[in-house]
């Protein structure tokens, strides 16, 4: 395949979930490293736009329009030289061709891309042991950009800072305590959530005078999280469920000491921001390797109990069997201190 060498404006389309967007952001940094004068644009879902805007390697970000004609019009107006379809979508591929974007990169394993893309990238089943960030970076090969080592990925994440004071005052956060976010709900794998009872026991294992726990989630998570949100005299907890925009959640993370979550978008975001991140993962090795969070201060705990899969009619025991003591010890190690005996 002929390599592409001349371009000024590149658009990366990643229009699915928050975690997927975060996973694709190293593409922008890699493009900037190799072609400092190019403009990198992002097309993403409206609900994830705030994160793309805060990425320092993204020159501009746009929300995916609902109507096909509006999408084509947007792409035409942006005068794009290169369109990278980082999540497979026939709608995106057709819009890019209709907008007459000269270079259109997509997966060779979607039949429509053979008709709609000018360049195709083969990511086969032999790549299943690779982290998804490395797979996304494969879409840059037609531009002459080779992949990177997984240990180099954290340096490819850069975000703008925001003033924390107003948000801290609004939420009642304690400046003199260690602040840890608990994101106890999971959108993409509801059968693989660590039990709320263990999250509650986790909070009770640490000194209330020194630790403050911030419970995050969407308004739709409120009913599921109700047991975790009840008042507890032994725990200093702050309920932010349904109260934060994505931009505010990102700012909150920048002012916290760590986050604990299963495989969720917020876990990917926290890791990318470089804060202490503890990910709780199912035992399936393919799922673990592909979707593991990546950052400067990441610890992953993977279940050793056989995984039953992601079917919604049952709750798989593998994540539930991750030991509370291991989680407590991991958090203690963030601050190099001893921890009390976990309670249940």
């Amino acid at each position: 395949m002929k390599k592409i060498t001349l371009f000024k404006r590149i658009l990366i389309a990643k229009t699915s979930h928050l975690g997927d967007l975060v996973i694709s952001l190293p593409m922008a940094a890699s493009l900037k490293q190799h072609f400092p004068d190019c403009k990198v644009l992002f097309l993403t879902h409206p609900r994830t736009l705030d994160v793309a805007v805060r990425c320092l390697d993204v020159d501009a970000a746009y929300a995916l329009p609902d109507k096909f004609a509006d999408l084509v019009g947007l792409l035409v107006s942006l005068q794009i030289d290169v369109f990278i379809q980082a999540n497979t979508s026939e709608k995106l591929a057709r819009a890019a061709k209709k907008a007459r974007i000269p270079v259109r990169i997509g997966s060779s394993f979607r039949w429509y891309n053979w008709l709609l893309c000018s360049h195709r990238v083969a990511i086969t089943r032999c790549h299943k042991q690779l982290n998804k960030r490395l797979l996304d970076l494969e879409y840059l090969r037609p531009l002459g950009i080779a992949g990177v080592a997984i240990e180099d990925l954290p340096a490819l994440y850069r975000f703008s800072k925001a003033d924390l004071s107003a948000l801290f005052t609004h939420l009642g956060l304690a400046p003199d305590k260690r602040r840890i976010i608990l994101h106890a709900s999971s959108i993409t794998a509801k059968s693989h959530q660590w039990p709320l009872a263990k999250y509650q026991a986790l909070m009770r294992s640490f000194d209330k005078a020194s630790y403050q726990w911030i419970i995050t989630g969407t308004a739709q998570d409120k009913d599921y999280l109700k047991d975790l949100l009840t008042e507890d005299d032994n725990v200093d907890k702050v309920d932010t469920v349904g109260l934060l925009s994505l931009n505010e959640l990102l700012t909150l993370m920048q002012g916290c000491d760590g986050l604990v979550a299963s495989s969720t978008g917020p876990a990917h975001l926290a890791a990318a921001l470089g804060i202490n991140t503890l990910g709780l993962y199912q035992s399936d090795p393919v799922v673990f390797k592909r979707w593991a969070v990546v950052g400067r201060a990441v610890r992953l705990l993977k279940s050793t109990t056989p995984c039953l899969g992601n079917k919604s009619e049952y709750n798989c025991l593998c994540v539930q069997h991750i030991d509370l003591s291991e989680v407590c010890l991991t958090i203690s190690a963030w601050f190099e201190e001893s921890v009390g005996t976990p309670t249940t």
Side-chain angles (χ1 to χ4, degrees), residues 2-16:
K2 184 179 179 180
K3 302 299 181 183
I4 306 160
T5 56
L6 298 176
F7 53 86
K8 295 180 180 179
R9 297 170 65 82
I10 304 170
L11 185 140
I12 301 169
K14 180 62 80 76
T15 58
S16 44

Side-chain angles (χ1 to χ4, degrees), residues 58-244:
V58 175
D59 292 290
Y62 303 89
L64 177 69
D66 291 329
K67 297 181 179 178
F68 181 79
D70 292 338
L71 172 58
V72 174
L74 174 63
L75 296 180
V76 170
S77 71
L78 295 177
Q79 299 181 318
I80 302 160
D81 301 306
V82 180
F83 179 92
I84 302 174
Q85 186 194 139
N87 63 281
T88 53
S89 164
E90 185 175 356
K91 176 183 177 181
L92 291 174
R94 291 192 179 281
K97 185 168 184 180
K98 191 172 182 63
R100 299 182 182 274
I101 299 171
V103 177
R104 305 176 303 279
I105 302 172
S107 169
S108 63
F109 291 93
R110 292 294 184 271
W111 67 266
Y112 49 80
N113 283 340
W114 287 87
L115 304 175
L116 302 172
C117 290
S118 63
H119 293 71
R120 291 166 296 277
V121 178
I123 301 176
T124 67
R125 290 184 178 181
C126 68
H127 292 87
K128 66 183 180 179
Q129 298 296 327
L130 290 180
N131 188 276
K132 189 63 170 63
R133 291 160 185 78
L134 300 179
L135 295 178
D136 277 7
L137 286 167
E138 290 291 305
Y139 285 110
L140 303 185
R141 286 194 179 275
L143 305 179
I145 301 175
V148 302
I150 194 166
E151 58 266 23
D152 295 328
L153 286 172
L156 298 180
Y157 282 112
R158 301 188 309 135
F159 294 90
S160 63
K161 301 288 186 180
D163 182 23
L164 299 169
S165 57
L167 183 62
F168 270 43
T169 300
H170 174 65
L171 296 177
L173 301 186
D176 58 340
K177 292 186 180 182
R178 287 159 177 165
R179 297 174 298 277
I180 300 175
I181 296 171
L182 300 182
H183 193 84
S185 60
S186 173
I187 297 172
T188 56
K190 292 185 181 301
S191 59
H192 288 98
Q193 296 177 126
W194 206 47
L196 294 183
K198 288 193 173 183
Y199 277 107
Q200 190 70 266
L202 170 65
M203 292 188 288
R204 290 173 182 163
S205 301
F206 290 83
D207 184 3
K208 177 182 178 180
S210 301
Y211 284 81
Q212 187 174 59
W213 306 86
I214 300 99
I215 316 301
T216 57
T218 66
Q220 291 74 26
D221 298 325
K222 196 80 174 183
D223 185 62
Y224 171 75
L225 295 172
K226 61 185 179 182
D227 291 340
L228 193 62
L229 300 175
T230 56
E231 291 188 15
D232 187 333
D233 292 338
N234 297 310
V235 175
D236 181 359
K237 67 175 79 170
V238 178
D239 175 8
T240 71
V241 177
L243 301 179
L244 300 175

